Amino acid sequence: MTNWVRACATDAIDAEDLIMWEHDGRSFAIYNTDQGFFATDGLCTHQHYPLEDGIVIGTVIECPLHGGRFEVTTGEALSAPVCEDLKTYPVKIEGGSVYLAID
Amino acid sequence: MNAPETYAATNAASTGVSIDRKRLKALARRTDRPGLVFIAKWLAALACSSFAIWLALGSWWVWPAMLAHGVILCVPAYALSHETAHGTAFKTRWLNEAVLWATSFIYIEEPLHRRYTHTNHHTFTWHAGKDSQMPFATPMDFRGWLQEVSGFGLARFHIAAMLRLAAARYTPMMREVVPESELPKLTRNARLFLALYALLAGLIVWGVGWPLWFLVLPRVLGAPAMLLFTLIQHVEMQENSPSILESTRSFGTSRTGRFLYMNMNHHIEHHLYPQVPFFALPELHEELRDQLPKPDPGFWRTNLEVLSVVLRRSLGRHTKARSIRQAPHMIGQGRFERIAERTM
Ligand code: FES
């Protein structure tokens, strides 16, 4: 059974932006892109830096520390210095809220 | 160098500088236009200086023409390879990567090595033994200055790094800053670069003149100008500090200087927020002005003061500079304890 957890209101995230959301001692990044809402782990896989101040370009998040890039729809690491993919989480929108499926 | 999870990278957070998040996002926004305009102007300037060399061929005027061409070639090539290593020069990724390759070829550094070592420089800015881009030992003396500004030290490092990468004989620092799985890519790229350099050398030996007059000699002659810009980014500043304000220097410079160096005279601002592209650095400077020290005086004055300090240090005289910022331990007389060895 999927464990859907409400994270935030949809309008809490600007278009082409992300927010960090802390839950159960873990941080998640939730993105509002032109393709919809997506969620990944909140820390970069390179040096575990928070992605919060990163730039969202289309469906790509660029880490603010060294510019490593991830595809947020799949978590794929796109360019150096990141080599390890980001974990992604299913997202659903209901009643103006963003829900994440957390394992 | 892989920072432990608890290590705070040297940036705005470790320095205690802050900016409104929305404003930062706006400043960090990417676009292709400023980078394309920059390249168009750069190529136009190179066309003019190439024409001057062509006119002067056969007379001694060719030397000043090659020097001017070299400055126009080297400083922006360095600045562009730096900006594209960050991935901030263009919104379009392939454009960014293509320019990274072309300018790193001129800078003589394998592009991924450029990116990874610079990544590390931002994580451990001016930390002895950890920052993989400390080009000279500190405190600097006149010998170190000569080695740096002549371009000899950097050329030796770049050539050795290229050969080592091509031979897959990685240094401990390379293994530290580059993930194991990426090293074969660096080796492939270094071999490709070496093949292209060999092709240029072959053309010259074959009697083709243009690579010599328009590329090789200007690259050698222009390197000191490029290195005078990079020298003052951190020289005389504090090693091993979490604060970018203590480890890094911003300085004023002319419009020409700002153009050639792509606004990197705002070097503190760049280290605080490396995600902000070159064209937004003046605005970032305005935004942070109240939290930053006053920039050091112009490019020439800062460099003359640095030269005066290192000369006096070598002569055992007092090393207080007239106006540029210096870490407290850089000021004194007599013997100076070595703090950092060069890592490049
Ligand atoms: S910490 Fe994200 S790219 Fe280095």
Side-chain angles (χ1 to χ4, degrees), chain A residues 56-96:
Chain A
V56 178
I57 304 172
T59 55
V60 172
I61 172 70
E62 187 188 283
C63 174
L65 187 55
H66 304 124
R69 293 154 63 250
F70 300 93
E71 169 61 45
V72 302
T73 57
T74 59
E76 186 189 352
L78 295 176
S79 62
V82 294
C83 304
E84 197 184 315
D85 294 350
L86 263 182
K87 188 167 165 43
T88 58
Y89 300 88
V91 168
K92 74 172 180 182
I93 307 296
E94 239 174 52

Side-chain angles (χ1 to χ4, degrees), chain A residues 26-29 38-42 87-91 100-103:
Chain A
R26 293 160 68 186
S27 28
F28 301 86
F38 298 93
T40 68
D41 271 340
K87 188 167 165 43
T88 58
Y89 300 88
V91 168
L100 264 62
I102 295 170
D103 38 44

